[in-house]
Amino acid sequence: MRNAAWSFDECYLAVWIYDMFDASLYSGPKTALYSQVAKIIGRTEGSVEYKVQNVAAVDSRPDGEKSMSGLDHYQELLKKVFEWYWTDREASRKLYDLVVMRILSRK
């Protein structure tokens, strides 16, 4: 498992997970999505969960409107990816397969 800074694609996947929960597009256990993404990017489920909680920290909406509580000390790139993704969430969601294929092609 890696400890390096998260790439744009990895941050995208964290924001994508957050979006799935926020938009109620996923009804299974959160750990299943964390596990799925962890296997794709070669990180632990815990690190994926932590990064998704960081996404909540960069979401500027009031806490009552978020799908989870946020954690401080987020990566600046994560904030940029979130802001980009959130400008058109529907279009951004559709990039999931492309992002995953790009990550897997680098392995």
Side-chain angles (χ1 to χ4, degrees):
M1 298 295 161
R2 302 178 358 198
N3 287 328
W6 286 53
S7 68
F8 178 94
D9 288 345
E10 291 171 317
C11 288
Y12 167 89
L13 292 176
V15 175
W16 177 85
I17 291 172
Y18 181 78
D19 183 32
M20 293 298 102
F21 298 149
D22 187 73
S24 300
L25 297 174
Y26 179 78
S27 59
K30 290 180 178 182
T31 55
L33 275 185
Y34 299 150
S35 177
Q36 173 186 326
V37 168
K39 288 176 186 170
I40 293 167
I41 64 176
R43 295 188 185 267
T44 65
E45 289 178 32
S47 68
V48 172
E49 178 180 13
Y50 191 88
K51 187 61 89 173
V52 173
Q53 290 172 325
N54 286 149
V55 176
V58 300
D59 183 349
S60 62
R61 295 178 298 165
D63 287 343
E65 295 178 20
K66 299 178 187 182
S67 59
M68 65 180 59
S69 298
L71 296 174
D72 294 332
H73 308 294
Y74 53 83
Q75 181 184 14
E76 189 60 32
L77 177 60
L78 181 65
K79 182 177 181 180
K80 291 177 182 178
V81 172
F82 174 82
E83 290 168 349
W84 164 81
Y85 186 110
W86 231 247
T87 59
D88 189 348
R89 291 168 70 180
E90 190 171 326
S92 296
R93 284 181 199 128
K94 294 176 182 176
L95 297 174
Y96 174 84
D97 289 335
L98 176 67
V99 170
V100 169
M101 286 178 15
R102 188 166 53 203
I103 291 170
L104 294 176
S105 72
R106 292 183 198 136
K107 290 186 174 185

